[in-house]
Amino acid sequence: MILPIYIYGQGVLRKESQDIPKDYPGQKELIDNMFDTLDASEGIGLAAPQVGLNIRVVVIDLNVLADDMPEYKGFRKAFINPHIVEVDDTHTESLEEGCLSLPGIHEKVTRPTRIHVKYEDADRTEHDEWVEGYLARVMQHEFDHLDAHLFIDRITPLRRQLIKNKLKSLTLGKYRCSYRTKAARR
């Protein structure tokens, strides 16, 4: 089932998410619905707060990038209770990011290229690993949602001032996008 994506201005995007227990009801259905929603919106990552739930669940599908990044062929994975344990900021990279909760806004964000993460997969198997490259960036972006942060929190004050009117329009429900959404005001 395709869920509505919560747009900037929705309170759920600014609340810290909680870990879920192993017996969380409807976990498989939620993950399936999040992947359906991600596919319908043509995104590469989606965090539970973006569908109105303050729980630590993220889905990432990098298979769409496989032509340019063959290492991500077939990469489609759920992350449950993910946490960034450590950041190796020896190397950083600035790349443009966008977000399904901020339609029409794209800004350069500088992030470390290597992170240490702990999470459980959809089968609730625990993982503790270092992740590098583009996956590390996507994980940081999506895991930020779980900690009540958006990528616009990581841009310069000047850039933030320059997009102020776009952000206001989003909070007023004045935007267009091709996927199902839930605006802050209607």
Side-chain angles (χ1 to χ4, degrees), residues 100-139:
L100 296 173
S101 293
L102 294 147
I105 297 178
H106 297 86
E107 293 290 329
K108 275 198 168 189
V109 179
T110 302
R111 295 190 187 269
T113 58
R114 187 171 180 258
I115 58 172
H116 178 198
V117 296
K118 288 186 178 181
Y119 64 91
E120 297 168 44
D121 60 28
D123 296 324
R124 300 310 288 259
T125 302
E126 293 182 14
H127 297 265
D128 180 341
E129 58 195 35
W130 281 92
V131 179
E132 298 182 21
Y134 197 72
L135 176 58
R137 170 173 294 276
V138 175
M139 284 177 149

Side-chain angles (χ1 to χ4, degrees), residues 32-184:
D32 290 345
N33 290 344
M34 287 179 67
F35 273 121
D36 289 346
T37 303
L38 185 64
D39 293 343
S41 61
E42 298 180 356
I44 59 172
L46 185 67
Q50 293 179 277
V51 293
L53 300 170
N54 281 123
I55 57 174
R56 297 188 76 86
V57 178
V58 165
V59 296
I60 296 175
D61 184 348
L62 297 182
N63 189 54
V64 296
L65 306 174
D67 287 345
D68 295 324
M69 300 177 185
E71 65 271 28
Y72 297 125
K73 184 168 179 56
F75 188 97
R76 185 173 171 94
K77 192 170 186 177
F79 299 85
I80 300 171
N81 299 333
H83 293 273
I84 296 174
V85 178
E86 188 179 351
V87 173
D88 176 359
D89 56 8
T90 307
H91 298 287
T92 60
E93 185 174 41
S94 292
L95 291 174
E96 191 173 273
E97 291 187 18
C99 181
L100 296 173
S101 293
L102 294 147
I105 297 178
H106 297 86
E107 293 290 329
K108 275 198 168 189
V109 179
T110 302
R111 295 190 187 269
T113 58
R114 187 171 180 258
I115 58 172
H116 178 198
V117 296
K118 288 186 178 181
Y119 64 91
E120 297 168 44
D121 60 28
D123 296 324
R124 300 310 288 259
T125 302
E126 293 182 14
H127 297 265
D128 180 341
E129 58 195 35
W130 281 92
V131 179
E132 298 182 21
Y134 197 72
L135 176 58
R137 170 173 294 276
V138 175
M139 284 177 149
Q140 289 172 81
H141 177 108
E142 298 306 331
F143 297 0
D144 269 357
H145 281 293
L146 306 178
D147 296 323
H149 300 296
L150 300 170
F151 82 90
I152 57 171
D153 300 336
R154 300 192 180 281
I155 62 177
T156 66
L158 174 61
R159 289 301 314 160
R160 182 133 177 155
Q161 184 63 32
L162 291 171
I163 63 169
K164 184 179 172 183
N165 287 338
K166 287 182 181 180
L167 294 173
K168 184 176 181 181
S169 291
L170 290 177
T171 64
L172 296 173
K174 297 178 180 177
Y175 61 88
R176 286 186 175 181
C177 61
S178 61
Y179 46 88
R180 191 170 164 215
T181 64
K182 184 170 175 90

Side-chain angles (χ1 to χ4, degrees), residues 14-31:
R14 293 301 194 176
K15 290 182 185 158
E16 195 166 331
S17 296
Q18 303 301 311
D19 283 352
I20 61 169
K22 292 206 184 286
D23 61 349
Y24 184 81
Q27 173 191 298
K28 183 186 179 327
E29 182 182 5
L30 171 63
I31 290 169

